[in-house]
Amino acid sequence: MALTSSVKEHPYSHLIDTLKDGSLKFFNPHKLNDPRYEKLPLSIRVLLEAAIRKCDGFYVKEEDVQNILDWQQQQNVAEVPFPPARVLLQDFTGIPAMVDLAAMRDAVAKHGVDPGLVNPVCPTDLVVDHSLQIDFSKCAIQNAPNPGGGDAQSQAQGPSRSTPSRPLSRGGSHCGGQRGSCSKASCSDPPSSPGRPPTSVQQIENTPLLCPFHLKPVSEPETNLKNQEMELIRNKERLQFFKWCSKAFKNVNVVPPDVGAVHQVNLEYLSRVVQVDGGLIYPDSVVGTDSHTTMINGLGILGWGVGGIESEAVMLGQPVSLTLPQVVGCKLVGSVNPLTTSIDIVLGITKHLRQAGIAGKFVEFFGPGVSQLSAPDRTTIANMCPEYNATVSFFPVDHVTLKHFEKTNSSQEKLGLLESYMKAVKLFRSYEDPSEDPTYSEVIEINLSSIVPHVSGPKRPQDRVAVSSMKEDFQKCLNEKVGFKGFHISKEKQETEVPFLHCGQEYRLAHGSVVIAAIISCTNNCNPSVMLAAGLLAKKAVEAGLAVKPYIRTSLAPGSGMVTHYLNTSGVLPYLSQLGFEVIGYGCATCVGNTAPLPEAVVNAIKQGDLVACGVLSGNRHFEGRLCDCVRANYLASPPLVVAYAIAGTVGIDFEKEPLGVTSEGKEVYLRDVWPSREEVQQIEEDMVISSIFRELRERVEKGNTFWSNLECPDSVFFPWDHKSTYIRSPSFFNKLSKDVQPPQSIENAHALLFLGDKVTTDHISPAGSIARVSAAAKYLLSKRLTPREFNSYGARRGNDVVMTRGTFASIKLHNRFIGRPGPKTLHIPSGQTLDVSEAAERYQRDGIPLIILAGKDYGSGNSRDWVAKGPYLLGVRAVIAESFEKLHKNQLLGMGIMPLQFLPGQTADSLELCGKEKFTITLPDDLTPRQELTVKTSLGQCFCVTALFESQMDIVLYRHGGLLRYVARTMF
């Protein structure tokens, strides 16, 4: 929003303040001089600032501003608008939105309007990350005599359905001459050490891939190139369209494929905390079509996930409508237990919030304990919103946030501006100062010291054991009867020890002895902090003179090369290796039973003493006997605890009272002596990991990739539609678009397309997933000479209105009372024929017959889908009469010009004795008003009233125009 003369007429222009010697201006809600402002939760202050800045008397009114300011009284009551600073799209949901804008350019040009004026009003970032499919893959190399893990012919992978017939080689005696091969002509030479490459050589991210035979650089991973090629071939039309959008539209930023997942790109590259536009500075905020959008709240940026239609509406300038939320204050107090990892904290807080019953509410964190959480901790907690059903989990900006952005290559000038602005509008927090605490709807207090580290076992992942109780719990397991926790070892045998020789030295095994210790960086353990903690613990242990007994089968299987990269750059990888935790490859290993055999002497000792030997791993599966048939007790633990138990050599240890080990000089070393502090871990995480990840991502975004750079696209204002395309078509939303708005037309002699019951979900309405071979959409694609293998999915074809319209109501689980059994069929009432829903709709439209839908309770419940209203609109549906509507879906219908009509209380289709085969006439007055009662008459003589669910004049305006798209187009005439 530029500061032009229109700002002088702004109802809140008196709140404008300046920064940086007057070069930047901002709306300062603090200048309202209203004591209620400083008591508002900071997340609500973001809503208030946006309402003040965007107050235009139409979308956002002064009444809305006052309602937000009066949050304490209006929470959970008032409906308020929220105009976010930007929109985040992934490609599946982004393509229909951009197709609509391209079609809008064609429509306005027909009326003599400059098509270049059609652009998103709200800045939009579109990340192409949902196109990649795994057509090719390779297994991790572990103890293999060659790169493929076996004979080339026996291991070759046949072509997948959508790939060329030439098989992809998975190994063999030759690697020169293959893409991704080393420079040697043959790989028949043995590796430099028997069975596997030298353990001193680690594959590091951002360094050339090494051929495991010759340790020569490989040009690029073959599977990566192959999958990129297939992505380009399969999605070429869509990618060309996206590239055209990036050039043709203002306010659109397209992040090309192979950069990163949408939520990570948002977190690591697109987030700004504050936006500067036209000399105006204001808070960053976002709505996105990705379920992980809530991660951004961990950085003090308000944002949440929405559906495709809602995001498109925001792009076109319409704010998000929401009931002013209750805000639960989550007060963090106490000090984190020294042994507690970030994952322990995240899961502990998630558990507390899940039990608190906070569905649909905002959560805002405060209290002195918040300062102990790093930025990655906060974003991980914010990302867990779906687990405890909150809308957002908001962490206001503080010094930790500033430190995070400092490490992500933000300039000092930007950081200074960010801090000055956030403090000026009271959006900056000092969590240690209770005088800054706002008033919340309710407060949940969580004592961080109560969150203690756990392990899970010995047989099931759900059986959690506090580390402090581990020794006692294992003893109970020995005593209990055989079951989920018990082994039933007699008292006289519980002290059994069995001596054995390993590499010429005698050792002793007992119940609880650790024989397998594996660090696996998958699931939650991909958090850098826990892997770094393991590495720092190893470093301190080695420096203290501790070691892991050589018979324990240790391993390190990072989830990706990036893990190896930051372990190496932080200097801890050699210490892990010294304790036996060497990188064995990238892939599933120990937790799926791929552990190398235990030494024979160890196996014999276990069997001789009938010992309950133990495995400790940081994976997510550990059922009895899974790691090794002679290892009965297996525990899941965080990576640093895996290292600790490996050094201790037993799970039967109380870390508080017993030493972790004894040095060669006889000095006792306790776990507390070598356990890294959270400050140490966070410092290295910020310095080594975060800055490296952000730097790499920025380089990838700014540099792009060869595929995207070489991709040709039209250089034109209009998109040149290819009428042969089955992926992208110009939709018919703007057909017969006139300059003048006609008065609302009564719906006369309409037929019911469908007669539905209760709880019709968006899954029933909107197409999703694969395209069934016998569906109406399949018939269309077959007519275009595509084979079933080429159908792809509804998601991939969201830019084709014909496919999506034919898929509407195509769910095999749709219960239509006209048919009496589940299926995507309906009754064409004039002919009495049972047809596909889309085919029946085509006949009605050809005959000029308007359509309605009859439904029961909770029509349109479930997740938002971008075609839940577009599809019915193109089928010719003019109104839906239901007992009740999901609020979000009701708004979606209005946004497409379909009337949501509600039976009066106590009335239903059955109570009114409607059979659905009647003709319906709905009379509309010239002047519609919100929640007006309308009269419905049927051809069989029934007459009843319904409530038109227009909640505001804006709803009526959109309906009169035939929906939001047509309204926006007309504003340009």
Side-chain angles (χ1 to χ4, degrees):
M1 177 180 178
L3 285 175
T4 60
S5 57
S6 62
V7 174
K8 297 178 182 177
E9 303 165 4
H10 195 288
Y12 292 99
S13 58
H14 60 286
L15 301 183
I16 293 177
D17 214 334
T18 60
L19 282 176
K20 292 185 66 176
D21 302 324
S23 60
L24 286 177
K25 299 184 178 181
F26 63 98
F27 287 91
N28 192 349
H30 191 56
K31 291 180 70 174
L32 288 167
N33 295 321
D34 192 313
R36 293 176 294 178
Y37 179 69
E38 293 198 23
K39 290 298 181 183
L40 291 177
L42 276 73
S43 53
I44 300 299
R45 295 182 201 180
V46 176
L47 297 182
L48 179 63
E49 187 282 336
I52 290 172
R53 176 167 38 88
K54 289 290 189 176
C55 187
D56 59 2
F58 180 61
Y59 283 129
V60 183
K61 301 176 181 179
E62 292 184 59
E63 177 187 356
D64 298 319
V65 173
Q66 292 304 315
N67 281 338
I68 299 173
L69 188 60
D70 193 28
W71 168 81
Q72 290 195 35
Q73 300 301 319
Q74 296 296 326
Q75 58 181 296
N76 222 26
V77 176
E79 192 82 9
V80 297
F82 172 53
R86 57 189 174 93
V87 175
L88 180 69
L89 304 173
Q90 42 92 339
D91 49 319
F92 271 14
T93 51
I95 196 164
M98 302 312 299
V99 164
D100 290 347
L101 288 178
M104 189 183 295
R105 284 194 167 185
D106 297 338
V108 300
K110 292 177 182 178
H111 291 275
V113 177
D114 179 6
L117 296 176
V118 176
N119 294 287
V121 176
C122 185
T124 301
D125 296 303
L126 193 157
V127 183
V128 184
D129 77 326
H130 278 50
S131 299
L132 183 64
Q133 296 182 24
I134 302 174
D135 296 286
F136 303 95
S137 63
K138 287 187 176 181
C139 298
I141 300 166
Q142 178 180 351
N143 299 329
N146 61 57
D151 179 72
Q153 294 181 352
S154 64
Q155 296 294 324
Q157 177 182 349
S160 64
R161 292 184 177 181
S162 56
T163 63
S165 58
R166 180 175 60 85
L168 173 65
S169 175
R170 295 284 301 274
S173 61
H174 298 278
C175 81
Q178 295 181 19
R179 175 177 293 168
S181 63
C182 75
S183 57
K184 290 268 188 176
S186 173
C187 283
S188 58
D189 301 332
S192 48
S193 66
R196 58 180 174 184
T199 56
S200 59
V201 177
Q202 309 294 344
Q203 180 59 48
I204 310 299
E205 186 85 353
N206 298 327
T207 62
L209 185 70
L210 300 182
C211 170
F213 277 11
H214 307 109
L215 306 181
K216 297 288 185 181
V218 171
S219 57
E220 273 192 77
E222 184 175 10
T223 53
N224 184 31
L225 285 170
K226 286 287 185 183
N227 284 316
Q228 284 184 9
E229 288 173 0
M230 286 307 302
E231 178 181 10
L232 180 66
I233 294 169
R234 181 185 291 114
N235 298 285
K236 185 176 181 180
E237 285 184 53
R238 299 167 65 240
L239 296 177
Q240 285 177 323
F241 176 73
F242 286 139
K243 192 166 184 179
W244 173 81
C245 290
S246 68
K247 294 182 176 181
F249 289 110
K250 298 176 182 177
N251 270 349
V252 173
N253 171 45
V254 176
V255 178
D258 197 39
V259 169
V262 58
H263 55 281
Q264 287 297 126
V265 174
N266 183 34
L267 193 70
E268 299 167 5
Y269 179 73
L270 302 174
S271 59
R272 300 172 180 87
V273 183
V274 294
Q275 298 271 5
V276 178
D277 180 26
L280 189 68
I281 185 170
Y282 51 92
D284 189 13
S285 57
V286 62
V287 291
T289 58
D290 181 75
S291 60
H292 299 287
T293 304
T294 54
M295 289 181 77
I296 207 68
N297 292 279
L299 298 180
I301 300 170
L302 189 64
W304 61 85
V306 296
I309 292 180
E310 295 75 53
S311 63
E312 190 169 345
V314 175
M315 289 169 61
L316 296 174
Q318 185 178 1
V320 175
S321 179
L322 73 157
T323 302
L324 199 56
Q326 292 180 301
V327 182
V328 177
C330 186
K331 185 176 184 179
L332 302 184
V333 299
S335 298
V336 177
N337 185 303
L339 300 186
T340 300
T341 66
S342 293
I343 295 303
D344 292 320
I345 294 171
V346 169
L347 296 180
I349 290 175
T350 298
K351 179 182 177 182
H352 277 86
L353 293 176
R354 187 188 294 122
Q355 295 170 344
I358 54 175
K361 300 176 184 178
F362 280 17
V363 175
E364 185 169 302
F365 288 85
F366 74 110
V370 179
S371 300
Q372 300 177 57
L373 303 182
S374 67
D377 292 341
R378 299 177 186 188
T379 56
T380 307
I381 293 168
N383 185 48
M384 298 293 280
C385 274
E387 293 295 322
Y388 44 87
N389 294 319
T391 302
V392 300
S393 284
F394 189 71
F395 288 85
V397 174
D398 70 335
H399 69 278
V400 173
T401 317
L402 294 180
K403 182 180 178 182
H404 171 79
F405 279 101
E406 182 182 3
K407 298 298 182 182
T408 60
N409 303 317
S410 294
S411 67
Q412 289 300 317
E413 182 182 3
K414 287 183 180 178
L415 288 172
L417 178 63
L418 189 160
E419 184 174 5
S420 298
Y421 171 72
M422 299 301 274
K423 286 182 175 179
V425 294
K426 302 293 182 182
L427 288 175
F428 191 91
R429 280 266 7 212
S430 173
Y431 288 106
E432 292 79 10
D433 186 357
S435 67
E436 294 184 10
D437 292 349
T439 300
Y440 294 106
S441 307
E442 61 176 300
V443 172
I444 298 171
E445 184 172 298
I446 299 176
N447 192 328
L448 293 176
S449 61
S450 69
I451 300 175
V452 297
H454 285 78
V455 297
S456 295
K459 300 181 182 182
R460 302 187 305 174
Q462 62 264 44
D463 296 325
R464 302 183 72 205
V465 183
V467 173
S468 58
S469 304
M470 182 65 164
K471 183 175 183 178
E472 179 185 355
D473 187 81
F474 182 75
Q475 188 63 44
K476 289 180 179 178
C477 292
L478 295 180
N479 292 327
E480 288 184 12
K481 293 181 179 179
V482 174
F484 292 132
K485 292 271 291 183
F487 297 102
H488 198 54
I489 305 297
S490 61
K491 291 286 186 181
E492 61 273 13
K493 292 185 178 182
Q494 290 183 12
E495 302 301 323
T496 299
E497 290 189 0
V498 180
F500 68 98
L501 289 176
H502 179 75
C503 297
Q505 187 171 346
E506 182 177 293
Y507 298 93
R508 305 181 76 84
L509 287 183
H511 293 291
S513 291
V514 174
V515 294
I516 296 174
I519 299 175
I520 302 160
S521 174
C522 63
T523 60
N524 280 329
N525 293 312
C526 64
N527 186 308
S529 64
V530 292
M531 295 298 289
L532 287 171
L536 288 171
L537 174 61
K539 179 177 183 291
K540 292 189 173 190
V542 169
E543 291 173 344
L546 300 181
V548 174
K549 295 178 177 64
Y551 62 81
I552 298 177
R553 185 66 70 189
T554 51
S555 61
L556 171 59
S560 72
M562 176 55 76
V563 179
T564 308
H565 174 61
Y566 64 67
L567 290 176
N568 188 67
T569 55
S570 60
V572 299
L573 193 58
Y575 296 97
L576 284 165
S577 297
Q578 194 166 336
L579 292 181
F581 293 97
E582 298 173 338
V583 176
I584 53 89
Y586 303 95
C588 292
T590 306
C591 61
V592 294
N594 290 346
T595 303
L598 294 176
E600 186 176 353
V602 172
V603 173
N604 291 337
I606 293 172
K607 292 181 177 178
Q608 179 183 336
D610 191 25
L611 300 176
V612 180
C614 297
V616 185
L617 69 155
S618 65
N620 62 348
R621 289 292 183 270
H622 66 326
F623 301 113
E624 184 176 14
R626 184 168 188 163
L627 306 191
C628 180
D629 58 5
C630 63
V631 180
R632 285 188 275 173
N634 299 297
Y635 289 90
L636 299 182
S638 66
L641 283 176
V642 172
V643 175
Y645 281 113
I647 295 171
T650 179
V651 299
I653 180 174
D654 184 335
F655 286 128
E656 276 296 310
K657 301 176 182 178
E658 300 175 60
L660 187 63
V662 180
T663 67
S664 56
E665 292 81 20
K667 179 184 177 182
E668 293 184 341
V669 179
Y670 288 80
L671 182 59
R672 57 179 173 270
D673 300 327
V674 295
W675 189 272
S677 68
R678 284 183 56 80
E679 291 74 21
E680 286 179 273
V681 174
Q682 290 176 2
Q683 186 67 45
I684 293 181
E685 184 177 26
E686 290 285 355
D687 292 346
M688 298 292 183
V689 183
I690 302 300
S691 58
S692 175
I693 290 174
F694 277 67
R695 184 169 56 251
E696 181 200 13
L697 181 63
R698 286 182 182 277
E699 289 173 356
R700 292 176 71 182
V701 172
E702 292 165 6
K703 182 180 177 182
N705 58 61
T706 305
F707 290 132
W708 182 257
S709 300
N710 294 338
L711 188 65
E712 296 181 357
C713 74
D715 186 13
S716 58
V717 175
F718 298 106
F719 183 73
W721 306 101
D722 181 357
H723 297 293
K724 296 180 181 179
S725 173
T726 56
Y727 276 98
I728 298 173
R729 278 175 42 97
S730 179
S732 55
F733 300 130
F734 302 101
N735 289 358
K736 300 179 181 178
L737 179 67
S738 61
K739 286 188 177 182
D740 299 324
V741 182
Q742 301 297 321
Q745 301 291 315
S746 296
I747 301 173
E748 298 182 353
N749 296 318
H751 273 301
L753 177 63
L754 297 160
F755 191 6
L756 306 172
D758 296 339
K759 297 189 180 301
V760 174
T761 70
T762 51
D763 283 344
H764 295 120
I765 303 169
S766 179
S770 60
I771 299 173
R773 297 190 179 196
V774 295
S775 65
K779 294 175 184 176
Y780 164 77
L781 294 173
L782 288 170
S783 74
K784 297 295 182 180
R785 298 185 178 180
L786 295 183
T787 65
R789 288 198 321 177
E790 298 169 306
F791 285 176
N792 214 322
S793 65
Y794 283 113
R797 296 190 182 274
R798 279 176 170 166
N800 185 319
D801 62 315
V802 174
V803 171
M804 300 305 286
T805 303
R806 286 172 172 259
T808 303
F809 294 112
S811 169
I812 59 173
K813 297 181 180 180
L814 181 72
H815 286 266
N816 181 4
R817 293 174 63 174
F818 285 151
I819 303 302
R821 62 182 184 276
K825 302 287 184 179
T826 194
L827 178 69
H828 181 251
I829 295 170
S831 67
Q833 290 181 282
T834 298
L835 304 172
D836 289 328
V837 175
S838 62
E839 187 178 351
E842 285 178 14
R843 289 199 188 182
Y844 284 124
Q845 290 191 66
R846 189 169 58 240
D847 297 334
I849 299 174
L851 296 172
I852 67 167
I853 291 173
L854 296 174
K857 299 182 180 70
D858 301 325
Y859 181 78
S861 58
N863 294 330
S864 176
R865 295 263 174 83
D866 48 7
W867 276 89
V868 288
K870 288 180 176 179
Y873 173 85
L874 293 180
L875 288 175
V877 175
R878 297 277 306 279
V880 178
I881 305 176
E883 294 176 48
S884 63
F885 290 83
E886 174 72 20
K887 176 185 171 183
L888 180 58
H889 184 59
K890 178 207 70 175
N891 293 336
Q892 292 167 340
L893 293 173
L894 286 168
M896 287 307 302
I898 299 174
M899 262 199 308
L901 305 175
Q902 185 170 314
F903 288 112
L904 296 184
Q907 292 186 347
T908 66
D910 290 334
S911 70
L912 294 169
E913 298 182 352
L914 301 177
C915 68
K917 298 179 182 179
E918 308 90 340
K919 293 181 180 180
F920 298 83
T921 296
I922 306 169
T923 304
L924 300 183
D926 290 337
D927 295 321
L928 285 169
T929 58
R931 299 195 69 85
Q932 185 172 359
E933 286 193 7
L934 304 177
T935 300
V936 182
K937 295 181 180 179
T938 76
S939 57
L940 298 182
Q942 298 109 319
C943 181
F944 58 95
C945 290
V946 292
T947 302
L949 298 182
F950 302 116
E951 304 296 342
S952 64
Q953 286 298 326
M954 185 178 75
D955 287 348
I956 295 172
V957 168
L958 294 180
Y959 174 74
R960 289 177 58 119
H961 278 269
L964 177 67
L965 293 173
R966 298 169 77 90
Y967 166 75
V968 172
R970 284 198 179 98
T971 60
M972 300 182 185
F973 294 167

